Amino acid sequence: MSAVILLLAGLAMMSLGYFIYSKFIAEKIYRLDPDYRTPAHEFEDGVDFVPTNRFVLWGHHFTSVAGAAPIVGPAIAVIWGWAPAFLWVVFGTIFFAGVHDMGAIWASVRNKARSVGSLTGDVVGKRARSIFMIVIFLVLLMVNAVFAVVIAKLMMSFPTAVLPVWGAIGVALIVGQLIYRRILNLVSVSVIGVIALYALIFAGPSMPIQMPAEVAGVSGNAVWIVLLFIYAGVASILPVWMLLQPRDYINGLQLFVGLLILYGAILLLNPTMVAPMFNDAVPAGTPSIIPLLFVTIACGAISGFHGLVASGTTSKQLNKETDARFVGYFGAIGEGCLSLAAILVATAGFASLTDWKAMYSAFGQGGVTAFVEGGAYIIHNGLGLPQVTAATLLTVMAALFAGTTMDTGLRLQRYIFQEFGEIYNQPWMQKPLVATLLAVGSCMLLAFGAGADGSGGMIIWPLFGTTNQLLAGLTLLVITVMLVHMRRPMWYTLAPLCFLLVMTVVALLTQLRTFYQQENYFLLFLDVVVLIAAILVAMECAAALKRHRAIAAAEDGNAS
């Protein structure tokens, strides 16, 4: 099968999803109001609450939710064949992710930009809020600790990417000043920012920066991780317009340029999908495709982390409520396009089926390596770009997305500690600096608690997929209950909610058996905790929906 056919089919279906389905959801279900006064205006403070141009906000939201996950997940899941991954990414983007992300922004905006975890206490109940806050904390802990490891390993493996990865921070600081001090218009700033970023990418191969294997008795990998957390801690306190927004916006533009290069190379080269459509000869030890496909590919289909970003930072910057469709749903489309590219290069970016099987000799292999190597092969042969430059470009793309997600993730974790302070009446915990130190400290404890190399976060990473999808189900639960209370159709959010809960519970049971067989009792314990949370969520879901439907029916009866 030609990769071009899949590319065009995927883009066509996601375009229809945005122009038709998202418009229906925005107008008929969420009923976005252009005259509604958003929290960005109501609580404007120049730090967290900042009314923002929807294109700039889209860049922040999209690159914050994208990270490395929409590359890693699909590039691992193709071990079951390219067809299941392709179908889940396309239809998951249209009917799951877009509805979830836009809905999370809408729900938060309608409740003073409160996070979806805090909002759960009012919409569902205090017990659900407690469960939600635990799940949120676990997800953020995993994301921040693991993405630091991912970026550090990329910089250790590809020293040509170090200059553009860190240089992008300087570009973002300049762009932020140019935009918000109105020195130049957005178009001019965008062009300058993209040119500067790509100049750094092309300069990277000629100016590699190699961290020594050991620095003062500490591994080079650990040094990068510490530096990344110091940076993320500072970034989480700075006003969003100064670094977070412009960094995310420029990275969003960089992604589209990168995708155009990848898609252009695919169109010119017209490579064949060397991987099987359905892989019946998976390596020994590969788990069943159902339900693992639906938790291996989270970002790119639907991800609970998106709800945290949507209700944590994005809702505080929304200029008009109607912007939620462009920022939220189109942000999901952008991530779907990235996942589609990951699928294509991880299945068509190899010379032969034998080469592909060598990459996918065991479950969990592929990932960023398959994306970088497969993509570089396609770009080199399709556009003639030197393979080392193509590999640097794709490595920087992955590292920058992981970095922007880590920036936002740590800020969100700071918000969570502040919300803990509000819930339990601890004023000291509500201070931004204290909350930031707690966020950084908890991540560092996980990262370095299991070893001096800082990769401790990888220990609990196998539970990320299930925990993340449970979080997505919780977010859809909040949105569904709000719709029921407002007497609006609920099936467009209830159906994805039920599907996710079923798949999450089955996946947790599957992993439970695996951890027991491996005698991994730490993960076994955590799996049981998340499984209990999933069951409690399902019970709270049924109770809350029944309660709110009864209230709505009673109010309608009294009105008549």
PDB file of all heavy atoms in Angstrom, residues 300-324:
ATOM      1  N   GLY A 300      -2.902  11.791  20.526  1.00  0.00           N
ATOM      2  CA  GLY A 300      -3.060  11.455  19.107  1.00  0.00           C
ATOM      3  C   GLY A 300      -4.403  10.822  18.852  1.00  0.00           C
ATOM      4  O   GLY A 300      -4.876  10.794  17.709  1.00  0.00           O
ATOM      5  N   ALA A 301      -5.073  10.334  19.917  1.00  0.00           N
ATOM      6  CA  ALA A 301      -6.425   9.800  19.809  1.00  0.00           C
ATOM      7  C   ALA A 301      -7.291  10.463  20.893  1.00  0.00           C
ATOM      8  O   ALA A 301      -8.221  11.178  20.610  1.00  0.00           O
ATOM      9  CB  ALA A 301      -6.430   8.283  19.951  1.00  0.00           C
ATOM     10  N   ILE A 302      -6.947  10.241  22.161  1.00  0.00           N
ATOM     11  CA  ILE A 302      -7.523  10.990  23.282  1.00  0.00           C
ATOM     12  C   ILE A 302      -6.597  10.806  24.467  1.00  0.00           C
ATOM     13  O   ILE A 302      -6.022   9.737  24.658  1.00  0.00           O
ATOM     14  CB  ILE A 302      -8.958  10.528  23.621  1.00  0.00           C
ATOM     15  CG1 ILE A 302      -9.526  11.381  24.766  1.00  0.00           C
ATOM     16  CG2 ILE A 302      -8.995   9.040  23.962  1.00  0.00           C
ATOM     17  CD1 ILE A 302     -11.003  11.171  25.026  1.00  0.00           C
ATOM     18  N   SER A 303      -6.454  11.855  25.253  1.00  0.00           N
ATOM     19  CA  SER A 303      -5.515  11.822  26.385  1.00  0.00           C
ATOM     20  C   SER A 303      -6.041  12.676  27.518  1.00  0.00           C
ATOM     21  O   SER A 303      -6.458  13.821  27.311  1.00  0.00           O
ATOM     22  CB  SER A 303      -4.140  12.331  25.950  1.00  0.00           C
ATOM     23  OG  SER A 303      -3.321  12.595  27.067  1.00  0.00           O
ATOM     24  N   GLY A 304      -6.027  12.115  28.729  1.00  0.00           N
ATOM     25  CA  GLY A 304      -6.471  12.867  29.885  1.00  0.00           C
ATOM     26  C   GLY A 304      -5.607  14.075  30.185  1.00  0.00           C
ATOM     27  O   GLY A 304      -6.086  15.069  30.740  1.00  0.00           O
ATOM     28  N   PHE A 305      -4.326  14.008  29.816  1.00  0.00           N
ATOM     29  CA  PHE A 305      -3.426  15.135  30.049  1.00  0.00           C
ATOM     30  C   PHE A 305      -3.933  16.394  29.347  1.00  0.00           C
ATOM     31  O   PHE A 305      -3.738  17.510  29.827  1.00  0.00           O
ATOM     32  CB  PHE A 305      -2.020  14.782  29.564  1.00  0.00           C
ATOM     33  CG  PHE A 305      -1.010  15.876  29.777  1.00  0.00           C
ATOM     34  CD1 PHE A 305      -0.550  16.179  31.043  1.00  0.00           C
ATOM     35  CD2 PHE A 305      -0.531  16.607  28.704  1.00  0.00           C
ATOM     36  CE1 PHE A 305       0.374  17.197  31.245  1.00  0.00           C
ATOM     37  CE2 PHE A 305       0.397  17.627  28.889  1.00  0.00           C
ATOM     38  CZ  PHE A 305       0.855  17.922  30.166  1.00  0.00           C
ATOM     39  N   HIS A 306      -4.613  16.214  28.199  1.00  0.00           N
ATOM     40  CA  HIS A 306      -5.152  17.362  27.470  1.00  0.00           C
ATOM     41  C   HIS A 306      -6.154  18.138  28.317  1.00  0.00           C
ATOM     42  O   HIS A 306      -6.219  19.365  28.258  1.00  0.00           O
ATOM     43  CB  HIS A 306      -5.848  16.899  26.186  1.00  0.00           C
ATOM     44  CG  HIS A 306      -4.926  16.299  25.191  1.00  0.00           C
ATOM     45  ND1 HIS A 306      -5.262  16.161  23.856  1.00  0.00           N
ATOM     46  CD2 HIS A 306      -3.680  15.777  25.312  1.00  0.00           C
ATOM     47  CE1 HIS A 306      -4.268  15.582  23.209  1.00  0.00           C
ATOM     48  NE2 HIS A 306      -3.299  15.343  24.078  1.00  0.00           N
ATOM     49  N   GLY A 307      -6.960  17.403  29.092  1.00  0.00           N
ATOM     50  CA  GLY A 307      -7.937  18.066  29.941  1.00  0.00           C
ATOM     51  C   GLY A 307      -7.277  18.917  31.014  1.00  0.00           C
ATOM     52  O   GLY A 307      -7.810  19.960  31.408  1.00  0.00           O
ATOM     53  N   LEU A 308      -6.107  18.468  31.491  1.00  0.00           N
ATOM     54  CA  LEU A 308      -5.372  19.248  32.489  1.00  0.00           C
ATOM     55  C   LEU A 308      -4.870  20.554  31.889  1.00  0.00           C
ATOM     56  O   LEU A 308      -4.951  21.616  32.521  1.00  0.00           O
ATOM     57  CB  LEU A 308      -4.193  18.435  33.028  1.00  0.00           C
ATOM     58  CG  LEU A 308      -4.512  17.111  33.713  1.00  0.00           C
ATOM     59  CD1 LEU A 308      -3.233  16.502  34.284  1.00  0.00           C
ATOM     60  CD2 LEU A 308      -5.541  17.293  34.810  1.00  0.00           C
ATOM     61  N   VAL A 309      -4.334  20.487  30.678  1.00  0.00           N
ATOM     62  CA  VAL A 309      -3.846  21.698  30.013  1.00  0.00           C
ATOM     63  C   VAL A 309      -5.024  22.620  29.679  1.00  0.00           C
ATOM     64  O   VAL A 309      -4.976  23.833  29.913  1.00  0.00           O
ATOM     65  CB  VAL A 309      -3.068  21.339  28.734  1.00  0.00           C
ATOM     66  CG1 VAL A 309      -2.649  22.601  27.985  1.00  0.00           C
ATOM     67  CG2 VAL A 309      -1.838  20.494  29.076  1.00  0.00           C
ATOM     68  N   ALA A 310      -6.093  22.027  29.130  1.00  0.00           N
ATOM     69  CA  ALA A 310      -7.256  22.811  28.712  1.00  0.00           C
ATOM     70  C   ALA A 310      -7.859  23.587  29.874  1.00  0.00           C
ATOM     71  O   ALA A 310      -8.220  24.768  29.732  1.00  0.00           O
ATOM     72  CB  ALA A 310      -8.308  21.892  28.088  1.00  0.00           C
ATOM     73  N   SER A 311      -7.979  22.929  31.033  1.00  0.00           N
ATOM     74  CA  SER A 311      -8.605  23.575  32.190  1.00  0.00           C
ATOM     75  C   SER A 311      -7.591  24.224  33.123  1.00  0.00           C
ATOM     76  O   SER A 311      -7.981  24.944  34.049  1.00  0.00           O
ATOM     77  CB  SER A 311      -9.425  22.545  32.976  1.00  0.00           C
ATOM     78  OG  SER A 311      -8.589  21.550  33.537  1.00  0.00           O
ATOM     79  N   GLY A 312      -6.301  23.972  32.893  1.00  0.00           N
ATOM     80  CA  GLY A 312      -5.286  24.508  33.784  1.00  0.00           C
ATOM     81  C   GLY A 312      -4.667  25.803  33.301  1.00  0.00           C
ATOM     82  O   GLY A 312      -4.558  26.779  34.063  1.00  0.00           O
ATOM     83  N   THR A 313      -4.266  25.858  32.042  1.00  0.00           N
ATOM     84  CA  THR A 313      -3.637  27.071  31.522  1.00  0.00           C
ATOM     85  C   THR A 313      -4.428  27.687  30.364  1.00  0.00           C
ATOM     86  O   THR A 313      -4.603  28.898  30.298  1.00  0.00           O
ATOM     87  CB  THR A 313      -2.201  26.774  31.034  1.00  0.00           C
ATOM     88  OG1 THR A 313      -2.236  25.739  30.045  1.00  0.00           O
ATOM     89  CG2 THR A 313      -1.309  26.349  32.182  1.00  0.00           C
ATOM     90  N   THR A 314      -4.946  26.857  29.459  1.00  0.00           N
ATOM     91  CA  THR A 314      -5.616  27.375  28.264  1.00  0.00           C
ATOM     92  C   THR A 314      -6.853  28.184  28.615  1.00  0.00           C
ATOM     93  O   THR A 314      -7.075  29.269  28.063  1.00  0.00           O
ATOM     94  CB  THR A 314      -6.001  26.221  27.319  1.00  0.00           C
ATOM     95  OG1 THR A 314      -4.833  25.466  26.999  1.00  0.00           O
ATOM     96  CG2 THR A 314      -6.625  26.753  26.044  1.00  0.00           C
ATOM     97  N   SER A 315      -7.682  27.671  29.531  1.00  0.00           N
ATOM     98  CA  SER A 315      -8.931  28.367  29.879  1.00  0.00           C
ATOM     99  C   SER A 315      -8.670  29.732  30.504  1.00  0.00           C
ATOM    100  O   SER A 315      -9.532  30.622  30.444  1.00  0.00           O
ATOM    101  CB  SER A 315      -9.757  27.503  30.847  1.00  0.00           C
ATOM    102  OG  SER A 315      -9.062  27.299  32.062  1.00  0.00           O
ATOM    103  N   LYS A 316      -7.512  29.939  31.088  1.00  0.00           N
ATOM    104  CA  LYS A 316      -7.168  31.214  31.712  1.00  0.00           C
ATOM    105  C   LYS A 316      -6.718  32.245  30.680  1.00  0.00           C
ATOM    106  O   LYS A 316      -6.506  33.413  31.029  1.00  0.00           O
ATOM    107  CB  LYS A 316      -6.055  31.012  32.748  1.00  0.00           C
ATOM    108  CG  LYS A 316      -6.464  30.181  33.958  1.00  0.00           C
ATOM    109  CD  LYS A 316      -5.286  29.967  34.894  1.00  0.00           C
ATOM    110  CE  LYS A 316      -5.688  29.240  36.175  1.00  0.00           C
ATOM    111  NZ  LYS A 316      -6.194  27.875  35.941  1.00  0.00           N
ATOM    112  N   GLN A 317      -6.564  31.818  29.435  1.00  0.00           N
ATOM    113  CA  GLN A 317      -6.056  32.718  28.400  1.00  0.00           C
ATOM    114  C   GLN A 317      -7.029  32.880  27.227  1.00  0.00           C
ATOM    115  O   GLN A 317      -6.721  33.565  26.255  1.00  0.00           O
ATOM    116  CB  GLN A 317      -4.725  32.183  27.865  1.00  0.00           C
ATOM    117  CG  GLN A 317      -3.663  31.994  28.938  1.00  0.00           C
ATOM    118  CD  GLN A 317      -2.467  31.219  28.424  1.00  0.00           C
ATOM    119  OE1 GLN A 317      -1.795  31.646  27.488  1.00  0.00           O
ATOM    120  NE2 GLN A 317      -2.192  30.060  29.015  1.00  0.00           N
ATOM    121  N   LEU A 318      -8.200  32.253  27.314  1.00  0.00           N
ATOM    122  CA  LEU A 318      -9.158  32.279  26.208  1.00  0.00           C
ATOM    123  C   LEU A 318      -9.793  33.660  26.079  1.00  0.00           C
ATOM    124  O   LEU A 318     -10.449  34.137  26.996  1.00  0.00           O
ATOM    125  CB  LEU A 318     -10.231  31.211  26.435  1.00  0.00           C
ATOM    126  CG  LEU A 318     -11.008  30.778  25.186  1.00  0.00           C
ATOM    127  CD1 LEU A 318     -10.114  29.916  24.289  1.00  0.00           C
ATOM    128  CD2 LEU A 318     -12.269  29.998  25.571  1.00  0.00           C
ATOM    129  N   ASN A 319      -9.629  34.271  24.936  1.00  0.00           N
ATOM    130  CA  ASN A 319     -10.155  35.615  24.709  1.00  0.00           C
ATOM    131  C   ASN A 319     -11.668  35.598  24.537  1.00  0.00           C
ATOM    132  O   ASN A 319     -12.387  36.377  25.161  1.00  0.00           O
ATOM    133  CB  ASN A 319      -9.489  36.226  23.473  1.00  0.00           C
ATOM    134  CG  ASN A 319      -9.890  37.673  23.261  1.00  0.00           C
ATOM    135  OD1 ASN A 319     -10.021  38.440  24.216  1.00  0.00           O
ATOM    136  ND2 ASN A 319     -10.119  38.053  22.012  1.00  0.00           N
ATOM    137  N   LYS A 320     -12.167  34.700  23.692  1.00  0.00           N
ATOM    138  CA  LYS A 320     -13.607  34.530  23.464  1.00  0.00           C
ATOM    139  C   LYS A 320     -13.949  33.057  23.630  1.00  0.00           C
ATOM    140  O   LYS A 320     -13.168  32.195  23.253  1.00  0.00           O
ATOM    141  CB  LYS A 320     -14.004  34.988  22.057  1.00  0.00           C
ATOM    142  CG  LYS A 320     -13.856  36.476  21.803  1.00  0.00           C
ATOM    143  CD  LYS A 320     -14.340  36.823  20.404  1.00  0.00           C
ATOM    144  CE  LYS A 320     -14.242  38.317  20.134  1.00  0.00           C
ATOM    145  NZ  LYS A 320     -14.720  38.652  18.759  1.00  0.00           N
ATOM    146  N   GLU A 321     -15.149  32.783  24.142  1.00  0.00           N
ATOM    147  CA  GLU A 321     -15.531  31.392  24.356  1.00  0.00           C
ATOM    148  C   GLU A 321     -15.559  30.612  23.044  1.00  0.00           C
ATOM    149  O   GLU A 321     -15.225  29.435  23.004  1.00  0.00           O
ATOM    150  CB  GLU A 321     -16.898  31.319  25.040  1.00  0.00           C
ATOM    151  CG  GLU A 321     -17.241  29.897  25.489  1.00  0.00           C
ATOM    152  CD  GLU A 321     -18.553  29.828  26.229  1.00  0.00           C
ATOM    153  OE1 GLU A 321     -19.610  30.011  25.568  1.00  0.00           O
ATOM    154  OE2 GLU A 321     -18.537  29.582  27.446  1.00  0.00           O
ATOM    155  N   THR A 322     -15.935  31.272  21.956  1.00  0.00           N
ATOM    156  CA  THR A 322     -15.979  30.604  20.655  1.00  0.00           C
ATOM    157  C   THR A 322     -14.589  30.180  20.172  1.00  0.00           C
ATOM    158  O   THR A 322     -14.479  29.317  19.298  1.00  0.00           O
ATOM    159  CB  THR A 322     -16.636  31.511  19.602  1.00  0.00           C
ATOM    160  OG1 THR A 322     -16.066  32.827  19.696  1.00  0.00           O
ATOM    161  CG2 THR A 322     -18.132  31.604  19.812  1.00  0.00           C
ATOM    162  N   ASP A 323     -13.538  30.770  20.750  1.00  0.00           N
ATOM    163  CA  ASP A 323     -12.173  30.368  20.386  1.00  0.00           C
ATOM    164  C   ASP A 323     -11.868  28.944  20.844  1.00  0.00           C
ATOM    165  O   ASP A 323     -10.893  28.334  20.390  1.00  0.00           O
ATOM    166  CB  ASP A 323     -11.142  31.320  21.001  1.00  0.00           C
ATOM    167  CG  ASP A 323     -11.156  32.702  20.353  1.00  0.00           C
ATOM    168  OD1 ASP A 323     -11.783  32.853  19.291  1.00  0.00           O
ATOM    169  OD2 ASP A 323     -10.544  33.625  20.930  1.00  0.00           O
ATOM    170  N   ALA A 324     -12.690  28.397  21.747  1.00  0.00           N
ATOM    171  CA  ALA A 324     -12.452  27.050  22.264  1.00  0.00           C
ATOM    172  C   ALA A 324     -12.492  26.008  21.156  1.00  0.00           C
ATOM    173  O   ALA A 324     -11.800  24.986  21.232  1.00  0.00           O
ATOM    174  CB  ALA A 324     -13.485  26.705  23.338  1.00  0.00           C
TER     175      ALA A 324
END
